[in-house]
Amino acid sequence: MAEAVTVEEVAEGIYKMVKDAAGVKKLKPTDLTKAMVEHFGPERCSKDLCKEAIRTLMDSGRCVYTYFGGSFIELPPKEDTAA
Amino acid sequence: MGDEKKIPKTPKLDELDKGPWPSFVREIKRAAEKSPMSRGLLGVLERSYNEKVGHWKHGGIVGVRGYGGGVIGRYSDLPEEFPDIAHFHTIRVNQPAGWFYTSAALRTICDLWERHGSGLTNLHGSTGDIILLGTRTEELEPIFSELTQMGFDLGGSGSDIRTPSCCVGPARCEWACYDTLGLTYDLTMHYQDEIHRPAFPYKFKFKAAGCPNDCVASIARADLSIIGTWKGPIQVDAAAVTAYTKDGTDIQADVCDRCPSKCMAWDGKALTIANEWCVRCMHCINVLPTALRPGPERGATILVGAKAPIIQGAMLSSVLVPFMKMEPPYTALKELVGKMLELWAEEGKSRERIGEFIQRVGLGNFLEAIGLEPLPEMVAHPRENPYVFYEEYLEEEPTEAKA
């Protein structure tokens, strides 16, 4: 059986996607979850793991939720990142 | 600095402060005596009345760390002219089930809001949360910190599960067919992560009504309406019915003639009910509350899909489960909701409510995906049959048959 990826690995994957999409496309949590499950494979990465990874990113302040008609995950504003 | 306390002249708004009735202008003016934000609000509102244009923008990056809900970003598009309300964010505070507070709890919240916000609240929004109107971004974390120390938490906003809400239920109403307060508390605890961290295509609202009177209007406002109902015959106290007639109630005109399914008959002495035709409208029970009571076996009907008109038009909920027992730990309900949420999160389009999603994919496909059997009660209105499958007509006929 394939070894499951860690929360940290998924969080890094999500962070990279959000960073690469900054200023180009707003990503919803479901977009990121689907992408991670596809990237790592469903046998290694579950939706619950992605949820935990998103929570890690939010609690650490590396990503923030934004609202523009719907909720998205984005990088925090620059002044917050510097802090 | 003296000018800062000057309340702006507001001739148009003043028209709405005339007369003995309550006035939002009067309340904002009262708040403006202490709050620069409320003074700014008066100024921008007067300007909006003159120009017939709103001066607010909403959304953006505001919230408290870790949460994606509970704060609705609100900005003025005239920040130079009205610097005190350049930010005017709304805070949603998760209300207790049934909106029961001590006066001390309300005072504490109001004191907090005078320290950190405009001092204005419209108390409860349509979601059910306590709504605190107008604060700045830098005040959000201190507000959150104080609220949590007081035992309160933020509610839902954005594409998350919104704060579940309910009627007062068995705490103050004899018609409650299940414990709406207990269910709402349980759902709030169970879905904490989904309330605070948006993970869906759009908002999802639970509303729990104890009986078909549906005092929280869940059938019009909730993606999942949980409406109390009963099985078995309406319980009749014949002596009490007679007492109503002696008090002047016209049973034929006020009860039987207004029964939507005409399932009741009155011969001048006895009220008979064809319970198999009863549609649980509550009219007879509301008219004769001491004579009639809901049937003995009680639970709830689960309905899905209501919404107010944002993307498409308004929709009412339609029946998904005609009768479900509502008892802790509510396993059947949570399993059903889990399947629905997973499907909608996976297949729903951005800003598509679950009712719109069901319309798009078809109720038949939706039921199949969540593992429910179609039932006659799911027909939303006459001449609609949402669950018939026509696959057998699409299959090609065997060659021999064609020949």
Side-chain angles (χ1 to χ4, degrees):
Chain A
M1 193 178 158
E3 198 177 326
V5 284
T6 63
V7 174
E8 291 74 23
E9 284 174 286
V10 180
E12 281 310 315
I14 291 174
Y15 182 77
K16 187 174 181 312
M17 268 192 80
V18 172
K19 195 176 169 192
D20 291 347
V24 181
K25 187 173 189 280
K26 293 186 189 302
L27 297 169
K28 294 181 83 78
T30 43
D31 301 329
L32 295 161
T33 301
K34 281 179 191 170
M36 288 300 109
V37 172
E38 194 179 324
H39 176 71
F40 290 111
E43 68 287 350
R44 298 184 65 211
C45 177
S46 67
K47 286 178 190 171
D48 284 345
L49 195 65
C50 295
K51 204 163 141 181
E52 210 178 325
I54 290 171
R55 186 170 179 161
T56 308
L57 289 169
M58 293 300 161
D59 289 348
S60 66
R62 292 180 75 198
C63 289
V64 292
Y65 287 107
T66 62
Y67 182 85
F68 294 94
S71 297
F72 299 92
I73 292 179
E74 295 189 67
L75 297 182
K78 282 206 170 85
E79 59 270 27
D80 287 354
T81 314
Chain B
M1 295 296 281
D3 280 348
E4 278 181 26
K5 288 191 175 175
K6 195 175 169 188
I7 294 177
K9 290 199 183 311
T10 55
K12 281 224 164 64
L13 290 180
D14 292 347
E15 291 297 313
L16 300 171
D17 188 17
K18 291 177 179 171
W21 46 81
S23 160
F24 73 98
V25 174
R26 193 176 310 146
E27 297 303 318
I28 299 174
K29 281 182 177 173
R30 279 179 189 162
E33 288 168 13
K34 289 197 272 187
S35 157
M37 292 191 98
S38 294
R39 289 196 282 279
L41 181 61
L42 280 173
V44 80
L45 196 53
E46 179 71 11
R47 182 157 167 168
S48 285
Y49 272 65
N50 282 320
E51 296 175 356
K52 298 184 173 58
V53 174
H55 284 289
W56 298 106
K57 305 178 286 182
H58 94 287
I61 306 171
V62 282
V64 297
R65 179 170 281 200
Y67 278 23
V71 180
I72 297 100
R74 190 81 53 181
Y75 299 93
S76 167
D77 67 1
L78 302 168
E80 288 82 20
E81 284 179 64
F82 300 99
D84 291 322
I85 53 162
H87 304 184
F88 203 77
H89 309 317
T90 299
I91 305 282
R92 283 199 183 134
V93 181
N94 190 330
Q95 83 285 6
W99 302 289
F100 286 92
Y101 306 93
T102 62
S103 51
L106 289 177
R107 267 186 221 107
T108 314
I109 287 176
C110 290
D111 288 346
L112 173 148
W113 198 237
E114 289 199 350
R115 286 197 304 280
H116 293 292
S118 69
L120 289 169
T121 168
N122 45 25
L123 203 56
H124 286 127
S126 60
T127 53
D129 305 86
I130 303 171
I131 304 293
L132 304 175
L133 296 166
T135 192
R136 297 186 59 80
T137 303
E138 59 270 24
E139 297 287 351
L140 296 175
E141 289 291 348
I143 290 166
F144 181 52
S145 172
E146 283 194 40
L147 275 173
T148 50
Q149 283 170 28
M150 290 155 53
F152 284 91
D153 194 0
L154 295 184
S157 67
S159 305
D160 62 14
I161 287 187
R162 298 300 180 82
T163 318
S165 75
C166 63
C167 67
V168 292
R172 274 183 60 76
C173 178
E174 68 269 42
W175 304 133
C177 293
Y178 71 98
D179 181 0
T180 54
L181 306 158
L183 173 67
T184 301
Y185 180 79
D186 192 295
L187 291 176
T188 305
M189 294 299 124
H190 184 75
Y191 291 110
Q192 275 294 293
D193 200 50
E194 289 80 0
I195 288 170
H196 298 310
R197 296 171 189 86
F200 299 109
Y202 207 17
K203 64 185 86 170
F204 188 90
K205 299 178 180 180
F206 286 104
K207 289 197 193 296
C211 78
N213 279 331
D214 194 11
C215 292
V216 283
S218 68
I219 200 165
R221 305 192 301 158
D223 297 275
L224 199 84
S225 320
I226 305 155
I227 302 179
T229 190
W230 64 89
K231 274 183 175 179
I234 292 173
Q235 300 175 85
V236 183
D237 178 341
V241 174
T242 307
Y244 272 106
T245 61
K246 287 179 181 163
D247 288 345
T249 304
D250 185 340
I251 303 288
Q252 183 61 47
D254 297 341
V255 180
C256 299
D257 292 350
R258 291 187 175 174
C259 172
S261 59
K262 300 285 179 274
C263 72
M264 314 192 94
W266 172 247
D267 62 4
K269 290 178 185 168
L271 182 68
T272 51
I273 305 173
N275 281 284
E276 65 274 23
W277 291 103
C278 173
V279 292
R280 316 292 194 271
C281 77
M282 290 290 288
H283 174 73
C284 58
I285 296 174
N286 292 334
V287 177
L288 309 173
T290 59
L292 305 181
R293 300 193 77 77
E297 192 182 346
R298 302 191 183 174
T301 300
I302 313 300
L303 302 95
V304 67
K307 63 180 242 358
I310 294 180
I311 305 296
Q312 295 178 22
M315 290 164 66
L316 293 176
S317 288
S318 59
V319 173
L320 194 63
V321 181
F323 187 86
M324 186 184 276
K325 278 280 187 192
M326 277 297 135
E327 287 164 359
Y330 310 105
T331 309
L333 178 67
K334 287 172 188 166
E335 282 177 2
L336 176 68
V337 172
K339 287 177 194 167
M340 289 165 56
L341 290 179
E342 188 171 352
L343 176 67
W344 174 54
E346 188 71 27
E347 305 293 341
K349 291 180 180 176
S350 183
R351 301 192 80 197
E352 183 177 53
R353 297 283 284 271
I354 197 163
E356 294 164 328
F357 170 70
I358 294 170
Q359 276 197 335
R360 178 167 63 83
V361 302
L363 183 59
N365 292 324
F366 180 76
L367 293 177
E368 195 176 350
I370 63 170
L372 279 188
E373 288 295 316
L375 295 168
E377 288 89 341
M378 293 171 180
V379 176
H381 51 77
R383 299 183 189 282
E384 185 207 55
N385 193 341
Y387 53 79
V388 165
F389 299 93
Y390 293 98
E391 282 94 338
E392 64 268 33
Y393 301 111
L394 300 175
E395 284 173 11
E396 280 193 23
E397 292 174 9
T399 317
E400 293 89 338
K402 278 182 184 170

